[in-house]
Amino acid sequence: MVPDSRLIIALDVTDREEALQISRKIGGLVDAIKVNYPLILSCGLGIVPEIKKYANVIADFKVADIPNTNRLICEETFKAGADAIICQGFVGNDSVKACVDVAAQFGKEVYVVTEMSHPGAIDFIQKHAMDLVDVAIKNGASGIIAPATRPERLSEIKRRSKDLKILSPGVGAQGGDARTTLDAGADFIIVGRSIYNAKDPYQAAIDLIGQLRR
Ligand code: NUP
């Protein structure tokens, strides 16, 4: 994924028509559309190729299983047309490697979750965030997920992550600021509710891109 707008929409709506309508409207503005369980459980993986007509698709499945199951999940996801998949790093090197191996076969990308953006990330994950960055580097992932809600932590993670791309959720509804997140080291911001719940999602996306370009 090459940065342009630097904005990724998290399309966590559950209604198929709404998902496609938003994709149609803002697909040309954003660098990717991220789908997650709410949409896929409601509409099925078959919605991926439909959304792909409008933008690259990132499957935020936070894959977190044994290597063989990770492999099967990644194969189904890439076969459906996703351009990238998000996996958890805490399951270990072998499980992450399984995702990266499948992605390489399909010419696709893997992003590894490091520290999550919600308050509960402090309970367990934060203590191991740097190890999770190392897992992503060691296994050849394309990038990592790191929190827009803690810019100082994002900067630390950025220092550790070398050339990995950083996708950062937590802007808007979770309290993070778009410009601050880029300044702290993110390559892309991931924004859901502030766009899809806005009266005019197109204008909300335009406003965010304006902040990112300042
Ligand atoms: O640490 C993470 N935080 C996070 O919010 C990792 C994620 N993948 N996400 C996802 O980003 C979350 O599941 C949702 O799809 C999106 C943020 O949405 P919003 O808070 O902007 O509505």
Side-chain angles (χ1 to χ4, degrees):
M1 209 168 33
V2 183
D4 178 20
S5 71
R6 296 176 155 228
L7 176 63
I8 295 167
I9 178 174
L11 195 56
D12 293 330
V13 298
T14 52
D15 180 74
R16 185 174 177 282
E17 284 318 310
E18 188 183 0
L20 293 177
Q21 193 186 46
I22 294 174
S23 300
R24 214 169 12 246
K25 272 194 192 143
I26 70 170
L29 290 178
V30 297
D31 283 339
I33 296 176
K34 184 179 80 63
V35 299
N36 198 341
Y37 291 110
L39 182 63
I40 299 301
L41 291 175
S42 156
C43 300
L45 254 184
I47 195 149
V48 169
E50 295 194 73
I51 293 175
K52 245 192 91 65
K53 289 178 199 155
Y54 309 108
N56 287 332
V57 174
I58 302 175
D60 184 2
F61 296 161
K62 298 190 185 67
V63 186
D65 217 309
I66 61 168
N68 187 59
T69 309
N70 276 8
R71 175 178 66 78
L72 294 167
I73 293 169
C74 289
E75 282 173 358
E76 291 309 308
T77 304
F78 292 132
K79 266 194 253 167
D83 300 282
I85 195 163
I86 296 174
C87 74
Q88 289 286 9
F90 64 74
V91 270
N93 285 291
D94 54 355
S95 292
V96 171
K97 182 173 183 301
C99 297
V100 173
D101 286 348
V102 176
Q105 285 163 23
F106 283 81
K108 307 290 186 179
E109 294 189 316
V110 173
Y111 291 85
V112 178
V113 177
T114 60
E115 182 171 318
M116 292 184 73
S117 57
H118 63 313
I122 290 167
D123 296 344
F124 303 110
I125 306 177
Q126 189 178 72
K127 297 175 191 67
H128 298 285
M130 298 305 164
D131 298 325
L132 296 171
V133 174
D134 294 346
V135 167
I137 294 172
K138 184 173 171 193
N139 293 286
S142 297
I144 54 172
I145 310 296
T149 46
R150 289 179 217 98
E152 67 302 335
R153 289 287 298 162
L154 179 55
S155 294
E156 278 179 55
I157 290 170
K158 168 75 182 169
R159 281 194 287 280
R160 181 83 163 218
S161 69
K162 299 176 183 157
D163 294 336
L164 289 180
K165 279 179 272 185
I166 301 186
L167 280 48
S168 211
V171 168
Q174 295 182 51
D177 172 72
R179 186 66 244 175
T180 309
T181 305
L182 280 200
D183 292 343
D187 296 288
F188 301 87
I189 61 164
I190 296 172
V191 182
R193 285 164 284 180
S194 300
I195 297 178
Y196 65 74
N197 281 342
K199 254 204 204 98
D200 182 349
Y202 182 86
Q203 191 56 48
I206 292 275
D207 291 347
L208 275 162
I209 292 167
Q211 292 173 39
L212 296 173
R213 293 205 166 134
R214 263 210 314 269

